[in-house]
Amino acid sequence: MTKLMEWIFVAGALGAIWLALLTNKIENIFVKDYYQLLLFSPIIFIVLFGIYALIIVLYRVFTFNNCNEAADELQKEIQEAKVDLQRQGFYFKEH
Amino acid sequence: MASVDKYSILLPTYNEIDNLPIIIWLIIKNMNASGFSYEIIIIDDGSPDGTLEAAQQLQKIYGEDKIVLKPREKKLGLGSAYIHGIKHATGNFIIIMDADLSHHPKFIKEFIETQKSHNYDIVTGTRYKGTGGVHGWDFKRKLISRGANLLTQILLRPGVSDLTGSFRLYKKDILEDLIKSCVSKGYVFQMEMIVRARQKNYTIGEVPITFVDRVYGESKLGGSEIVQFATALLYLFATT
């Protein structure tokens, strides 16, 4: 099953339950008391998920490791490499 | 370290005259220190800047057993460069990495040890986990990268934290098989490779890597890269 099929399958199943509750095919007391909440629950869910995703992304952006040490180390190694390569007869092309 | 394993490091190059000598020097230094058996296969796609001549000089210094040159006439794409390199590889493992110094060869030893610890089919470097990270990215670049990564994680659930990274170790036959099943071009090719690997139930290990964005030359992330990425994501979403 492709990821697309999985998503359609799960969305379809949840949608069917939602619709059945909304149209009172599955009768229960909760639906009567919280009809509005149920009606807008897909939108509420999407908005909440969006906020969650945004928080996660921003957190990960701000905690993204900058690797300054790795960059400094590399600069030193580049100089070291140039000296050593020239010593071994490597000719660096001028440009 | 007694081991019959040999690691063929594939370096596709195009106009890397400044970076090539440095990356080769770093690979030689780190691989000699690690004690593993290896070779470096340079696949230059007809660089006009003289990358091939620099590679020939390096081959003279380090020897034909360590540095193998397999140039091609012109740019023919990453997948075909790997195929071309694999054909001439004598190792049973293939390591792919960028020649632009964004990937540091010191991590290869960790890749190999991680592979050995679980007999993984693939070990991939990750910028998004543990001590991994990126140097030289601004806020916008990080935001796009993290956003795209989360979206991919949600849609594809690949089980791998860094999909577009191109610092990886593969068992040779598995790399051959994966390249045959991939259709993408450019950098999204790496994403398709790892997603297809998951689909085929290959085992994948991860090693956190530091990524130092291009020291010489420039790195780009423009509108066309984003479109390529989105297209590849939807394609993989619908087909895997």
Side-chain angles (χ1 to χ4, degrees):
Chain A
M1 194 152 65
T2 65
K3 287 288 181 286
L4 176 64
M5 295 306 287
E6 283 177 26
W7 276 73
I8 290 171
F9 183 74
V10 172
L14 290 173
I17 295 169
W18 177 72
L19 216 60
L21 285 168
L22 215 60
T23 54
N24 237 348
K25 290 282 189 291
I26 311 169
E27 276 192 57
N28 67 60
I29 195 85
F30 175 84
V31 176
K32 283 182 191 117
D33 294 348
Y34 297 98
Y35 185 78
Q36 288 288 324
L37 183 69
L38 182 73
L39 183 64
F40 292 110
S41 61
I43 296 168
I44 295 168
F45 176 76
I46 289 166
V47 169
L48 286 177
F49 189 77
I51 293 168
Y52 163 80
L54 192 67
I55 291 169
I56 293 279
V57 167
L58 286 176
Y59 175 76
R60 287 177 178 174
V61 168
F62 288 115
T63 56
F64 211 156
N65 186 355
N66 270 321
C67 307
N68 292 328
E69 283 154 39
D72 293 345
E73 187 197 322
L74 181 63
Q75 284 306 329
K76 276 186 209 122
E77 284 181 314
I78 288 172
Q79 297 315 319
E80 220 181 301
K82 282 183 175 167
V83 172
D84 191 49
L85 281 164
Q86 262 161 349
R87 191 183 52 77
Q88 294 185 77
F90 185 86
Y91 167 70
F92 283 92
K93 194 176 157 189
E94 300 292 330
H95 57 104
Chain B
M1 216 170 288
S3 170
V4 289
D5 293 325
K6 182 170 177 180
Y7 300 86
S8 298
I9 301 166
L10 301 190
L11 274 186
T13 58
Y14 187 77
N15 285 349
E16 299 287 3
I17 191 166
D18 292 319
N19 294 317
L20 188 70
I22 315 290
I23 191 73
I24 296 293
W25 186 86
L26 285 169
I27 293 173
I28 300 266
K29 180 184 162 194
N30 284 277
M31 290 307 289
N32 285 351
S34 77
F36 294 110
S37 168
Y38 71 100
E39 64 184 353
I40 306 165
I41 301 175
I42 301 171
I43 305 130
D44 185 64
D45 278 2
S47 303
D49 73 346
T51 304
L52 184 59
E53 288 72 29
Q56 284 160 346
Q57 283 196 62
L58 291 160
Q59 192 181 38
K60 281 205 191 81
I61 295 172
Y62 293 113
E64 286 178 18
D65 57 324
K66 287 280 177 279
I67 308 225
V68 181
L69 305 181
K70 295 294 167 193
R72 302 189 298 174
E73 290 291 306
K74 57 181 168 77
K75 257 193 137 164
L76 294 163
L78 206 52
S80 77
Y82 292 150
I83 293 273
H84 183 72
I86 293 168
K87 256 189 254 160
H88 304 284
T90 59
N92 53 333
F93 287 95
I94 305 286
I95 291 160
I96 61 165
M97 64 187 296
D98 292 347
D100 64 3
L101 300 177
S102 53
H103 297 145
H104 199 296
K106 69 185 172 194
F107 294 110
I108 294 175
K109 185 166 177 265
E110 283 176 61
F111 278 50
I112 294 171
E113 282 162 359
T114 302
Q115 192 285 324
K116 285 186 181 298
S117 69
H118 292 83
N119 193 24
Y120 287 125
D121 296 320
I122 303 164
V123 175
T124 178
T126 175
R127 295 163 290 181
Y128 302 118
K129 241 187 189 173
T131 52
V134 173
H135 179 81
W137 280 8
D138 59 10
F139 178 81
K140 187 183 152 205
R141 183 81 193 257
K142 285 179 178 175
L143 187 69
I144 293 171
S145 168
R146 283 301 199 178
N149 187 265
L150 184 67
L151 184 66
T152 313
Q153 296 295 338
I154 292 166
L155 291 181
L156 301 180
R157 298 194 309 281
V160 176
S161 59
D162 192 344
L163 291 111
T164 51
S166 48
F167 194 179
R168 292 178 184 157
L169 181 154
Y170 290 89
K171 285 181 180 165
K172 188 172 166 180
D173 50 332
I174 281 164
L175 180 59
E176 281 176 307
D177 175 52
L178 280 172
I179 292 172
K180 279 185 210 130
S181 10
C182 287
V183 298
S184 303
K185 297 273 172 279
Y187 82 104
V188 292
F189 170 74
Q190 305 295 354
M191 175 159 86
E192 180 170 10
M193 293 274 281
I194 209 81
V195 172
R196 298 250 175 243
R198 186 55 87 194
Q199 188 188 20
K200 288 166 180 276
N201 289 320
Y202 292 143
T203 54
I204 306 169
E206 292 192 288
V207 169
I209 56 157
T210 55
F211 181 96
V212 179
D213 212 354
R214 289 188 75 97
V215 178
Y216 302 111
E218 57 186 68
S219 118
K220 57 180 177 7
L221 177 71
S224 86
E225 277 76 25
I226 295 172
V227 171
Q228 267 183 54
F229 177 82
T231 312
L233 182 58
L234 289 178
Y235 166 72
L236 291 172
F237 184 60
T239 60
T240 65

